[in-house]
Structure formats: structure tokens, C-alpha cells
Amino acid sequence: MKLTYVSTYPPRECGLATFNKSLINAISVNLGENDPCRTCNVIAINEDSSDQYEYPEEVKFVVRQQHHEDYREAADFINVSDTDACILQHEFGIFGGDSGLYVLSFINQMEKPLVSILHTVLEKPSQQQKIIIQNIAKRSDKIVVMGKIAINFLTKIYNVPIEKISYIEHGAPDLEAPQVNPVKDNPLFKGRKILLTFGLISRNKGLETVVRALPEIVAQHPDVLYVILGTTHPGILKNSGEEYREHLIEIAEQLNVQNNLAFIKRFVPEEELINYLAAADIYITPYLNEAQITSGTLSYAVGAGAAVVSTPYWHAKELLTSERGRLFNFKDENGLASIVNELLESPEKLQAIKDNAYEYGIKLRWPAIGRNYLRLIKKVVENPDMSERIFRQLIDSEIMPEFSLDYAKLLTDRTGIVQHAKFGIPNWKEGYCVDDNARALVMAIMASELGYKDADMLMPTYMSFLHFMQNDAGNFRNFLSYDGKYLDKTGSEDAFGRAVWSLGYLIKNAPNNAYSKFGEELFHKAVPHFATLEYLRGISNTIIGITWYLKAYPSDNSMHQLLNSMTAKLTAAYRTSEGENWQWFENYLTYDNAILPLALLHSAEITGDKKVSEIAFSSIDFLEQLTVTERYWNPVGNDGWYFRDGKMPLHDQQAIETMGMVLMYAQAYKITRDPKYLKKVFSIYLWFLGENSLCVPLYDSETKGCSDGLQVTGINHNQGAESTLAYLISHLTVLETFKTNLNFVHNPPVLENALLK
């Protein structure tokens, strides 16, 4: 069996790297191989591009932490390798992106069976952290945790099925200290009672508690020496230097115990560490809070048969039961001093704790832990959970959230829907715009038609806003301040077109005659400006509005003429720009791209013009080739846009692009009845729910809003009107398409069988 391990790796000085190396050796030995190169490949995670390590030959690929493309390349490497399964070590700090979300791109592109080992499971995760763990669990065939409390967290907080979780304790070195221990012969240790802490040094370790306990301990045992073995955490060293170590020295000097404190600034290998643990009288882990699911240093100490005194963090409370150690309260130097003095004065009690720890520690040694992992991995390889693979053949109807207008209502006041938000809180400073209120009107009408009656109360607000923003000449201003002041004289052609679209949609689909007549008045007032439009997106939005109007008034010949002349502008742009490998309307793709072929599809539906239809589908195919991958929809990013013969920008992807694609495919299905477009309606919509390049949802199940974009390191957490309305319109389009064309009732939506048919 060949396995690929993804984690940090020695010579990088990191607890996760040490764990990974030990696990590889343990599994290799259980497979009957002493050479790990014969049983494994390693993908090593580097801190950044400047870190250069002399990795051993089993490291076949290096991922630079903040380089997103490296994660995809690593997945491709595994997919074409002879790997039977992948073993992923997860800790939030080692992967790139917001809260380490780049790991999702890796696991969702990687096709092999996956076992993920969670070194941290948070009781109170952020929304992003929760999403990451849920996605790792969904993609993994098995999840391994090293603390029993983590099982409770995963099932209750993250909704991970209990059958997917395995409990395997943290391993410890399979080593015995020599009878002649060289550490005890060290002049620093001779004639001293040793208190020991080892590992990477950082403030969250609470080492100052031990230093403050020293005066009371030294008063009874002047020969005590507290040894702190280890280097400062690399991230802290980079940002703050040795500030924390110097702080500990300063405390010791203030308390006059500087001669009872010693630092050994080294990251020692396991073979040497066992000597230090055997030489110590008491091992101390004084962490500052309980939120520690796993402590490798604690496991190593128990595995070595050390007498451990610890604060009651989660792992310590589990591991030090049955008299395998002693606990003291967080930041309680007096309680610590009392326990240490008691144990130093009673060699029998101290030895009993060591004996209990040693006896339990035998089953923590890596050969035994390796056997447990190997049994689990073999089950996964022999019976992979294919239903959880990202390359699913069926649509998962259960992942579609229940439709909610709660956040749209939050953004809407008596004036209209506000443009922007700070996170999920309306940002009234930015005021309102016609663009968003036009979209909001379309959304409210769609929701009302599908039976969401609370949308009826929103419609008049958005209609009134459009009326307020229309000039006497019939065009529209776009921006209005929160205190009701116009911020421009004439809005963009895009805003004009969106207003016309919403008015045409209102005329055709109004819930009552009064609303329809209202829409007609504003629509006809705007008509004189139709022929003067120059920009393609303004023209396209207006075309869509005209087609909706013509569905209500199909005999309006003057409007048919306007439709034909405006469609001709769009097709002429296409013919001017198209080339052998370029089937598009301009020499670049910028924003709201799908609106152009969508407008031609609407026009062709009314006119029946086959040439218009051919251009529409040709441009759709071209847009697909650029943006739709086998795994997800990858819209043109606003970070540079895509120019002819240029490079596709991946970052700053906007929700409006996804809405346009959903609407485009829904209209394509309406015209052709080709089932492939039906499936694409849903697959593009899934971009909002996490089927995207970062594998993170933009829809927020807590606020019912949508984040403002997909950026290089994660999502833009602000939830403005444009992105939220884009999500809501896309959601309603999915429901409307399946309900109308396949006679499905939404509550909840049942889509999977429809796609199978």
C-alpha cells in the first residue's frame, strides 16, 4: 500500500511535522518496511516561498502556504500517482487563505480516498472555521481525533455523522531512556530537582505561572531548577523576537529565582527528548485555558512515564485520570507550588504517578498507534465512501437552503434597499442606488409568484424608489444618499437598463393591475432613451426589459422595431469582434458577462430569429470554455478582467456573474428544452454554496445574506445588496425552472430525481 501524507515535515521545526514523520514511520513498520520511501509520498507545507528546507527524498512536492495554485497542483500530483489513500494533518495555522481555507481547494480536487486527522476542533469556531471543518468532514472518508471531547464537538457543533469519526490517541516515541542518562550528567542538572516543560514557546503556554510559583517551591526545595526546553514559535520569533522569553527572565529576576530558571534553546529530536523526560522529576504543562483538544507534548510525557502536573485543559483532563498525573487551576501559581512541593516531599507518590503513566503510555507508543491507523486506512481503501466524493453524479437536493427574505428585509427601509453592508449590518452611510432597487423589484416579484407572500410588502418600496429616481426626461439618476439627496444627475446606461428590465418584468408579472399600470407609466417615459444607448450591457438589460413588456403587449409594433434595432447593435458588436478562437462581443470579458448572450436568448424567444439564436449559443459555448471547469464555475475575476489572448483573472469573483449565468442557462433550457442546460442551472448556482475555486460558501446561513465576492485569500465578508440579490434571484430561478418545467413543488425542493430523468 502506498500512502501520501500532507502536512508540515522535518527538518521544519514544528510539532505537526514531528507527528507526521512519526506516523509515517509507525505505519511503514507495520507494513513491514523500514524505509518510508517505499510506502509513502509526502507533500510538505512550507510557511512561505522564502523557506528553503533540505527535505528527505520521500518529500515529492512542496506547497507554499499562501500560493493557492500550489494546492491544486498538489492534488493533481496525487491524482496521477500510485497513491492508495491520502492522510491529511489539519491545523488552521499551516494552510493558506482565510483561516486556512486553501486546504479545501486541495481536498476537493484530490480524487483518492482521504483520512483527515484534526489536531484542533474548536468549541466556538468562527463561521469560516466551521465551514472549513464541515467541508473537510464531508470530503473525508474518515476523520480522526485524538480527544474524546472532540467527538462531541464534531457531532453537536459541526453536524458530522458519528460513524465518520474515529478516536485514536496521540502517539508517543517507542523509546526507553538509557540506564546511564547523559542528561543527568549535564552539569546544569547535577544535584538539582528538575521541573521540565518542552515544546515551541509562546504566550499561550502559560510558562509565567511556573516561574511565579518558583519562590514558594524554592523556599522548601532550593535545589529546584525549572528547565524550559525548546525554541520560540517561528511565527512569534518573526514578529516579536524573543520578547516572551525575555519577559520570563524579567519575572524570575524580580522574584529573585533567576538561578532556578534555565532555557535550552533547541528543538531536540525524539531520541534526545526521551532523555530529558526521564531526567525530569516533574513535567509541567501550564496552559492558560481549557481549549486544547490535543497536546503532543503531554502525550510524549505520559508515554515516557513522566510525572505530569498540568492545568485542566481538555486533553489533560482525559489523559491524566486514574492517578496518571495531577491538575491545578489555570494561572494558579499557589496551587501549582503546593502540588510540586507535595510530590517532591513524597517520593512514593511521585513514583506512583510515574508508574501509572508508564503503564498507560505503553499503548500510546507509535507502533501501537500505527497499527490502529493502518487498520483504519485499510478499511477506507477497501471500502471508500464514494458518495462523499466531490465528483458526484447526482444533484444533492438537501444542500439547497430554505429560501428566506429576512436579510433583504433587513437591508430595506421605507426608502429602498441600501447598497452596502458591513459584514451583515446595513451600511446606511452609502445610501441607495437604482441598480439594486431594480434587482430587488425583480426578486420580490419572483418570490411572490412562487408563493412567498412576505415579498408582496417589499414591492411598493422598490417601485416607489424607481419612480423617485426617474427624471422628467424619462432617464434615471442612480445614487441617493441616506438623507434623501440625489448624488448624480443621470445614472449609467447599466443602471438605466436594469431599471427598464425590472419595469418590463413588473408589467408582465405584476400581482395586480395597479402595479402593472405603474410600471407601464415609468416604462413608456423611458422609451425615448432606448435608441440612444451605446454600451452593450445597458443595451442588453434594456432588451430583456422590452421582451418582458412584449409578452404582455405582443402587438406593439413600435416596440418590436426597437427590439430588432437594439438586438442588431448587439449582433453587430459580436460580428465585429469575433475571430477564429474568439466568439465574443468585445475584445475582453469584464463584468456581468452572461447578460450579453442572455439578452439575445430573450430576443430570439420573441422574434424567432435563428441567426440571433446562433450567436447567443456560440457566445455561450465560448463563455463556458473559459469559465466552467469539470469541478466548478470559475467566473471572470474583477481583478484585471480577461483580455483577448491574455490571462484569465481568478480573483475578486462577483455574485452578479453567477446570477447572470444561472439566468442564462434557465433561458437556454426554456428555448431548447435540452436537459444539459437544466443541470447547469443548478451546478452554477452551487457556486454560492461552496462549489467554487476556494470551496467556501458565499451564502451565509446565519444572516441569510451573501458575501460580496471571492477574493484571493477568502471571501469578502461584507454582505451588500448586489450580492445578496444575486443569490436570491439565482435561488428563485432554480426553483422556478424546476417547478415550471418539471412540475416539482418546493418545500423542500426535490431536484435529484428530476436530473436523473
Side-chain angles (χ1 to χ4, degrees):
M1 186 160 57
K2 193 71 171 283
L3 304 174
T4 295
Y5 298 80
V6 181
S7 178
T8 54
Y9 202 67
R12 180 173 173 178
E13 295 180 352
C14 165
L16 223 61
T18 302
F19 179 96
N20 198 33
K21 175 69 173 175
S22 298
L23 178 62
I24 289 172
N25 290 337
I27 291 178
S28 296
V29 168
N30 278 283
L31 285 170
E33 290 283 354
N34 291 318
D35 180 7
C37 288
R38 296 176 63 88
T39 62
C40 82
N41 296 320
V42 174
I43 294 178
I45 310 296
N46 269 15
E47 291 160 297
D48 55 48
S49 58
S50 65
D51 292 321
Q52 299 295 329
Y53 296 109
E54 292 294 329
Y55 285 116
E57 59 180 318
E58 62 263 26
V59 175
K60 306 299 185 186
F61 195 96
V62 175
V63 171
R64 295 166 296 175
Q65 183 178 12
Q66 297 299 340
H67 287 67
H68 191 203
E69 64 274 15
D70 287 7
Y71 293 83
R72 296 195 188 98
E73 291 175 9
D76 290 338
F77 167 80
I78 294 177
N79 292 341
V80 299
S81 72
D82 58 350
T83 295
D84 293 295
C86 178
I87 315 301
L88 175 79
Q89 313 287 342
H90 181 266
E91 182 70 76
F92 287 108
I94 71 168
F95 297 106
D98 186 5
S99 297
L101 65 84
Y102 285 174
V103 70
L104 301 184
S105 298
F106 167 75
I107 63 174
N108 284 323
Q109 189 163 327
M110 197 272 298
E111 300 171 358
K112 304 288 186 174
L114 175 65
V115 174
S116 295
I117 304 170
L118 304 184
H119 289 257
T120 296
V121 181
L122 300 173
E123 182 183 21
K124 297 178 180 178
S126 68
Q127 181 70 2
Q128 185 86 311
Q129 291 166 334
K130 184 176 180 180
I131 287 168
I132 290 169
I133 295 299
Q134 287 176 325
N135 275 272
I136 291 173
K138 183 175 183 181
R139 172 59 185 87
S140 300
D141 296 84
K142 285 290 183 181
I143 292 288
V144 176
V145 294
M146 292 170 270
K148 293 178 181 177
I149 195 170
I151 300 173
N152 183 55
F153 289 171
L154 286 174
T155 54
K156 297 293 178 26
I157 300 169
Y158 300 85
N159 301 315
V160 177
I162 185 70
E163 61 271 14
K164 182 161 276 195
I165 305 168
S166 293
Y167 170 63
I168 301 177
E169 293 187 82
H170 195 295
D174 186 29
L175 297 169
E176 298 283 352
Q179 289 186 347
V180 180
N181 189 337
V183 171
K184 290 185 176 180
D185 291 333
N186 186 321
L188 183 67
F189 283 62
K190 272 192 173 183
R192 309 295 292 265
K193 290 185 173 66
I194 302 300
L195 312 180
L196 176 68
T197 296
F198 85 88
L200 294 175
I201 296 175
S202 60
R203 279 192 176 271
N204 66 332
K205 298 297 177 66
L207 305 182
E208 61 272 20
T209 303
V210 187
V211 177
R212 291 193 174 103
L214 285 176
E216 189 175 339
I217 297 171
V218 170
Q220 295 188 33
H221 302 279
D223 56 348
V224 157
L225 179 68
Y226 178 39
V227 177
I228 299 174
L229 170 63
T231 58
T232 298
H233 191 285
I236 294 172
L237 190 62
K238 182 178 179 180
N239 296 316
S240 305
E242 294 287 6
E243 179 269 337
Y244 182 50
R245 192 186 300 269
E246 292 166 1
H247 174 63
L248 295 174
I249 293 172
E250 183 180 350
I251 294 174
E253 289 174 346
Q254 291 173 353
L255 298 174
N256 199 30
V257 291
Q258 64 270 25
N259 294 329
N260 301 91
L261 174 65
F263 291 94
I264 301 176
K265 295 171 63 173
R266 293 177 54 218
F267 189 91
V268 298
E270 291 180 351
E271 294 78 6
E272 190 174 351
L273 175 61
I274 192 70
N275 297 338
Y276 281 98
L277 289 169
D281 293 275
I282 297 174
Y283 180 80
I284 304 175
T285 56
Y287 298 160
L288 294 177
N289 61 71
E290 65 179 357
Q292 182 88 12
I293 290 285
T294 306
S295 170
T297 60
L298 179 66
S299 296
Y300 276 33
V302 172
V308 180
V309 177
S310 174
T311 50
Y313 56 90
W314 292 324
H315 192 202
K317 287 170 72 175
E318 289 184 16
L319 193 53
L320 300 183
T321 58
S322 303
E323 300 298 322
R324 292 194 289 269
R326 298 284 294 275
L327 300 176
F328 66 98
N329 290 329
F330 299 106
K331 300 181 182 180
D332 181 10
E333 61 262 28
N334 294 326
L336 170 61
S338 176
I339 292 173
V340 169
N341 282 332
E342 176 191 350
L343 293 178
L344 291 179
E345 290 167 5
S346 177
E348 297 82 6
K349 289 182 180 180
L350 190 62
Q351 189 59 48
I353 291 174
K354 290 183 176 183
D355 292 343
N356 292 336
Y358 182 85
E359 183 180 354
Y360 189 84
I362 294 295
K363 75 172 190 174
L364 298 182
R365 299 206 175 181
W366 276 116
I369 297 298
R371 283 193 293 274
N372 293 336
Y373 273 101
L374 188 56
R375 280 193 292 267
L376 178 67
I377 294 165
K378 283 182 175 180
K379 288 180 181 178
V380 166
V381 171
E382 292 167 4
N383 301 288
D385 188 357
M386 298 302 293
S387 65
E388 296 293 351
R389 297 298 155 82
I390 195 66
F391 307 105
R392 55 178 177 265
Q393 299 299 312
L394 308 177
I395 291 300
D396 184 358
S397 61
E398 296 300 321
I399 67 175
M400 195 172 184
E402 184 178 352
F403 181 78
S404 172
L405 286 168
D406 288 352
Y407 190 66
K409 292 176 184 176
L410 180 66
L411 293 180
T412 302
D413 64 6
R414 67 184 185 87
T415 300
I417 192 166
V418 69
Q419 283 191 81
H420 298 299
K422 295 295 289 182
F423 300 97
I425 308 301
N427 183 1
W428 303 116
K429 291 181 180 180
E430 302 295 334
Y432 318 84
C433 68
V434 162
D435 286 309
D436 291 334
N437 280 271
R439 293 188 192 98
L441 179 56
V442 171
M443 182 278 297
I445 297 169
M446 293 177 71
S448 178
E449 287 187 303
L450 285 169
Y452 298 100
K453 293 305 178 185
D454 48 348
D456 295 350
M457 300 300 294
L458 296 173
M459 265 184 263
T461 300
Y462 307 139
M463 292 161 58
S464 296
F465 184 87
L466 295 179
H467 178 250
F468 186 69
M469 298 299 284
Q470 189 173 36
N471 292 321
D472 292 339
N475 53 5
F476 292 85
R477 301 172 187 265
N478 193 16
F479 299 109
L480 184 74
S481 68
Y482 180 61
D483 59 0
K485 295 177 181 177
Y486 294 122
L487 300 178
D488 56 2
K489 292 183 178 180
T490 304
S492 67
E493 290 189 6
D494 284 15
F496 177 87
R498 291 184 181 113
V500 172
W501 178 350
S502 68
L503 293 171
Y505 195 78
L506 174 65
I507 292 165
K508 174 62 176 70
N509 301 289
N512 58 56
N513 187 60
Y515 286 10
S516 180
K517 293 302 180 185
F518 177 94
E520 288 178 37
E521 182 176 310
L522 272 62
F523 184 90
H524 285 296
K525 194 174 181 179
V527 167
H529 297 278
F530 290 6
T532 66
L533 296 174
E534 298 179 1
Y535 296 100
L536 297 186
R537 282 156 185 79
I539 291 170
S540 297
N541 280 287
T542 302
I543 286 173
I544 297 171
I546 292 173
T547 61
W548 282 110
Y549 170 87
L550 285 171
K551 289 177 182 180
Y553 295 99
S555 60
D556 189 331
N557 291 327
S558 63
M559 200 58 64
H560 277 286
Q561 292 174 4
L562 274 172
L563 175 62
N564 290 333
S565 64
M566 297 184 73
T567 301
K569 290 183 180 181
L570 207 50
T571 57
Y574 178 87
R575 293 191 179 97
T576 299
S577 179
E578 73 167 324
E580 183 179 352
N581 297 310
W582 190 264
Q583 289 76 48
W584 197 244
F585 305 84
E586 300 165 306
N587 287 319
Y588 38 74
L589 282 84
T590 55
Y591 66 96
D592 205 5
N593 294 294
I595 199 72
L596 306 181
L598 173 62
L600 293 186
L601 291 176
H602 275 280
S603 179
E605 181 187 11
I606 296 296
T607 65
D609 191 323
K610 292 184 178 179
K611 291 183 179 178
V612 171
S613 181
E614 287 173 2
I615 291 174
F617 284 106
S618 177
S619 61
I620 288 172
D621 291 342
F622 177 73
L623 186 58
E624 267 189 14
Q625 291 169 15
L626 291 174
T627 61
V628 180
T629 72
E630 291 181 1
R631 298 174 176 88
Y632 45 74
W633 147 245
N634 211 30
V636 176
N638 281 11
D639 183 22
W641 293 331
Y642 178 58
F643 290 84
R644 196 168 192 157
D645 300 323
K647 185 177 180 181
M648 175 70 77
L650 297 176
H651 305 129
D652 200 11
Q653 298 175 12
Q654 300 293 303
I656 190 175
E657 299 292 328
T658 304
M659 179 190 79
M661 289 290 281
V662 169
L663 290 168
M664 182 189 76
Y665 282 130
Q667 184 68 13
Y669 178 76
K670 185 177 182 181
I671 291 174
T672 66
R673 288 297 190 265
D674 188 334
K676 72 178 182 181
Y677 295 120
L678 187 66
K679 187 168 185 177
K680 287 174 181 178
V681 168
F682 193 80
S683 64
I684 298 297
Y685 160 80
L686 290 177
W687 180 88
F688 291 105
L689 304 185
E691 298 289 342
N692 51 54
S693 59
L694 292 183
C695 307
V696 59
L698 284 87
Y699 175 72
D700 187 337
S701 60
E702 293 182 339
T703 66
K704 315 301 181 187
C706 178
S707 297
D708 277 350
L710 202 63
Q711 299 174 323
V712 60
T713 58
I715 58 176
N716 180 341
H717 290 284
N718 295 329
Q719 298 175 10
E722 179 182 292
S723 54
T724 294
L725 291 167
Y727 169 77
L728 294 173
I729 290 172
S730 299
H731 187 118
L732 290 165
T733 300
V734 171
L735 301 184
E736 183 180 53
T737 302
F738 281 85
K739 180 179 179 181
T740 302
N741 296 302
L742 293 167
N743 298 317
F744 274 88
V745 177
H746 172 60
N747 192 20
V750 182
L751 307 177
E752 184 171 322
N753 290 335
L755 289 159
L756 284 172
K757 291 179 182 178

